[in-house]
Amino acid sequence: MARHKREAGESDFGEPAANAPEGEREAVARLEEELKNTRAQLREAEEALQRRERIPGADGGTPSEAEQRSQELERVLDAMVAPVVVFDAKGTVVKINAAARKLCDIDPTGFDARGWDWFVTQRMDARHLDGRPVAPSELPVRRALRGEPQPDLMRLRPADGRGQIVIDGASCPLQRGGRIVGAVSAWHEITEQLRAQDALREEQSLLRAVIETIADPVYIKDSEGRFVLANAAVLSAMGKPVEQVLGRTDLEIYGNSPNVRPIVANDRRVMQSGSVQVVEETVPTPRGPRVMLNTKAPRRDPSGRIIGLVGVARDITDRKRAEESLRESESRFRSIADSSPVLMWLTDAEGELLFVNRTCRDYFGLPRDSAGADWRPFVHSEDANRWGEFAGAVREQRTFVGQLRVRRSDGEWRWLATHAEPRFSASGEFLGHVGAGRDITEAKRASDALREADRRKNEFLAMLSHELRNPLAPIRNSLYILDRAAPGGEQARRAHRVIDRQTAHMARLIDDLLDVTRISHGKISLQRERLELGELVQRTIEDHRSLFQDSGISLEPSLPDERLWVDGDATRLAQVVGNLLQNAAKFTGRGGSTSVTLRRDAATGQAVITVRDTGVGLGAEMLPHLFEPFSQADRTLDRSRGGLGLGLALVKGVVELHGGTVAARSEGPGQGAEFTVRLPLQQRDLEQAEAAQVAAPATGRRVLLIEDNLDSAETLREALELMGHQVEVAHDGPEGIAMARRRPPEVVLCDIGLPGMDGYQVARALRADETFRGAVLVALTGYAGPDDQQRAARAGFWMHLAKPPSMAELEEVLATAPRAGEAQPPEAGPPSA
């Protein structure tokens, strides 16, 4: 059966068979199958008609046989699903099968040609698909009878009132002897198929439009990996036109490059496994290799057979670079953070911990992965409110600054200063906080100590004012008495004793201040010698016995029979024992007792001096600060026990300079106190040097006193003359040098702070004169520091005495001063008394 003209490569319905979408090709295939069946049935009808025409009855044969053939034809035609009409050479309807009668609701057997033409074109309103009416001459049967090509599809209005239907109709001419003797027309209704085809085309058009609007590459491949569909994003990424992509594989497009082989392998894996795969693939592009995140799914036909794959790709090259850059940045940040001595951390927008550096992990004993760790167990319960303040900073996205106590990994509570700044993304989104912390425990302790030192300094200045003013009142009163009392009388003697005691007290206060300063700066020098400690302790006890007797306190020494030798400064060690005795006398009431014990500790090779009293005792809070300068157990306003709180600080400094230790113990207030001094003993193999050094008795010396203070000069002259010395007095440097030249002295006592020409200049002038090479120069000054002693030595002084010297000191200096020809300027510095 002839069909309307088709273009090369098209199906019965005009669509390219190779490139048509799968659903459309399937619909076309079904229609063609049905047409094939119809054509087969038409061939059967044609053969039946031809047999009928050869029936003898038809040419004068037996009628019964003709009827039999006619009935056979009727059965064949009625069995056909498609409407079929048989025409003779004039176009008159000869046969119409049941399907045609139902479609037309007529039995038009015997219709002449014009009647059938009218019925189809008018009654059934035959029209072309574009809506034009079909002329009778255009009907398929007319064309067939003329031997012309068949028309296109028609629309007819069937009798069942459904409206117009689409008929794919064709007519076959019946020929005999090369002459057309009739025609057979078969109609096939394809209305629903066309509707489905149109819907499919619309759906596919919509799908194509949607796919084209997707910015990501979308593609379809067949089972051989050939591209069936590729949207604009695919073509743009490839940099190729559609004709170089569709129908080709990746290998055909790119060649067998290393980046393409994984793509082909991934495609094969998807189609073999039948599962969706998400893979990263590097794809060649005009811009260079690009990393694509490909989601590939198997493509199946209606039977479930895998016939290819569908893929959607996303270019993640920039994201991968950003991620790599972020990883590098994070790595740099971690390296910098881990090398920092500061505790550093990061939190998220909820305040949860994201990262802590190595310093922070070591500080708190955290594992390497500390994300999500809870801070709260590390915070002191009394500082828990600080944690609440940080939570508020998180809510308000603001800076947090605070100090709080935290528990370090070793269990110690430490002070931490923290500072956390909010961090935001480029778009302004709050990401959390970045924080830093540093241990300020030692700084706080130093600050507390500084405040404490400042407080004690203020107390000390108040005490110093009090202690210095106290002696001035009796001194002033005694001077008033001396002006009015009979010379040599009892009142005058009492006044002298008061002045002597009070000036000695003031001198001791000043000496203590100087000694504490020297010790604290490491500038005190010891005049070491081998001495027997028992004799020193005994002598010091006797020097202080009157103090205890006057206070009504018993003093009980306990000294060993053996001799305990130490290498030390006799004056300084006597000062240690004396300060401990004065401290006991000060804090022990009348009727109390003080014991002094000296013993050998064989286990440590030390001499142990213990001073125990039954006095007011010490509170536990006082013991740790007892040996600090200006520390006072007596803090009452009246300061009845006096002192500057320097005695025990001096004891500690001097003992430690001798390589020893000092400790205090008390059972509490009212329980007395005990002080223990330990000093290293010398070896016994030195005992052959025990011989006591006996000072030569003092004899009268020629003394030149250079002092600008008239009262000081006159009182000292009288005192020296009472000792049996010959004294001349000069009140400035030039006068003193002139006196020395007139009558060379044996000993020169020279003040340093002289007007015009100071004492150092006087000493250098005297040393420059050969006449005075044998004279002993003694500096007498209020400048008593170590630097002052060194400067005096460089100027030529043999001895350095701090004002005001005691008469005993002056007497000892004059007694031990070298005689003529013995005195040599010291190299390291003058001894200081």
Side-chain angles (χ1 to χ4, degrees), residues 332-350:
R332 288 194 298 271
F333 167 76
R334 288 175 182 272
S335 298
I336 294 172
D338 281 343
S339 64
S340 171
V342 177
L343 282 68
M344 299 179 66
W345 66 88
L346 287 175
T347 67
D348 62 16
E350 303 300 323

Side-chain angles (χ1 to χ4, degrees), residues 160-434:
D160 56 11
R162 287 181 293 158
Q164 285 191 334
I165 62 173
V166 179
I167 296 297
D168 182 10
S171 296
C172 283
L174 295 175
Q175 296 182 357
R176 187 171 59 206
R179 179 171 60 87
I180 297 175
V181 296
V184 178
S185 292
W187 293 347
H188 188 79
E189 181 182 349
I190 61 170
T191 309
E192 296 303 323
Q193 288 87 340
L194 287 179
R195 288 176 181 170
Q197 185 177 345
D198 290 342
L200 181 60
R201 287 197 184 96
E202 183 179 352
E203 182 178 342
Q204 291 173 340
S205 176
L206 177 61
L207 178 60
R208 284 194 179 95
V210 170
I211 289 175
E212 290 299 331
T213 61
I214 296 176
D216 292 330
V218 179
Y219 56 90
I220 299 174
K221 295 179 180 180
D222 63 16
S223 60
E224 300 300 323
R226 291 186 292 265
F227 282 91
V228 175
L229 181 146
N231 70 347
V234 172
L235 302 177
S236 175
M238 291 181 171
K240 296 181 181 296
V242 65
E243 59 269 15
Q244 294 182 16
V245 174
L246 295 185
R248 297 187 180 188
T249 66
D250 290 284
L251 289 173
E252 292 171 338
I253 296 172
Y254 296 115
N256 190 21
S257 69
N259 287 334
V260 174
R261 286 195 292 271
I263 297 175
V264 175
N266 290 333
D267 289 352
R268 188 177 301 112
R269 188 178 304 111
V270 170
M271 289 187 281
Q272 289 175 350
S273 66
S275 60
V276 176
Q277 302 277 339
V278 180
V279 293
E280 286 187 12
E281 297 174 339
T282 301
V283 179
T285 75
R287 293 187 293 163
R290 305 290 292 181
V291 180
M292 297 286 183
L293 184 64
N294 253 309
T295 302
K296 301 184 177 185
R299 176 171 169 248
R300 302 175 186 271
D301 64 12
S303 67
R305 182 172 58 92
I306 295 176
I307 59 173
L309 63 84
V310 177
V312 178
R314 172 157 293 180
D315 190 331
I316 60 171
T317 309
D318 294 337
R319 191 185 81 185
K320 293 281 288 184
R321 289 172 181 169
E323 290 174 351
E324 183 63 27
S325 176
L326 179 60
R327 281 192 294 270
E328 291 178 0
S329 176
E330 288 179 349
S331 177
R332 288 194 298 271
F333 167 76
R334 288 175 182 272
S335 298
I336 294 172
D338 281 343
S339 64
S340 171
V342 177
L343 282 68
M344 299 179 66
W345 66 88
L346 287 175
T347 67
D348 62 16
E350 303 300 323
E352 294 295 326
L353 199 61
L354 293 178
F355 164 79
V356 293
N357 71 339
R358 182 185 295 113
T359 304
C360 194
R361 293 196 302 270
D362 294 345
Y363 190 87
F364 289 102
L366 294 170
R368 182 171 182 81
D369 183 9
S370 301
D374 189 0
W375 280 110
R376 285 169 291 188
F378 296 95
V379 180
H380 197 283
S381 57
E382 295 179 7
D383 296 331
N385 62 312
R386 296 289 186 184
W387 184 258
E389 291 177 10
F390 177 68
V394 172
R395 287 193 304 272
E396 299 170 14
Q397 303 176 10
R398 58 174 171 81
T399 300
F400 170 76
V401 178
Q403 296 181 4
L404 68 162
R405 282 165 290 181
V406 296
R407 188 179 66 248
R408 200 168 56 183
S409 58
D410 59 4
E412 182 181 355
W413 290 102
R414 308 279 294 181
W415 279 99
L416 199 68
T418 61
H419 184 109
E421 286 289 338
R423 55 194 184 95
F424 300 91
S425 68
S427 61
E429 178 187 3
F430 175 61
L431 302 178
H433 278 80
V434 54

Side-chain angles (χ1 to χ4, degrees), residues 1-4 6 11-14 26-44 80-84 151-153 166-172 185-191 193-194 197:
M1 183 167 23
R3 176 71 166 88
H4 56 275
R6 298 183 177 92
S11 71
D12 285 336
F13 296 94
E26 291 172 358
V28 170
R30 287 196 300 273
L31 291 176
E32 290 186 339
E33 185 65 26
E34 293 178 8
L35 286 175
K36 181 179 179 182
N37 293 335
T38 301
R39 289 168 184 149
Q41 292 173 339
L42 284 175
R43 279 195 296 273
E44 289 183 27
M80 295 177 67
V81 176
V84 177
D152 294 331
L153 304 180
V166 179
I167 296 297
D168 182 10
S171 296
C172 283
S185 292
W187 293 347
H188 188 79
E189 181 182 349
I190 61 170
T191 309
Q193 288 87 340
L194 287 179
Q197 185 177 345

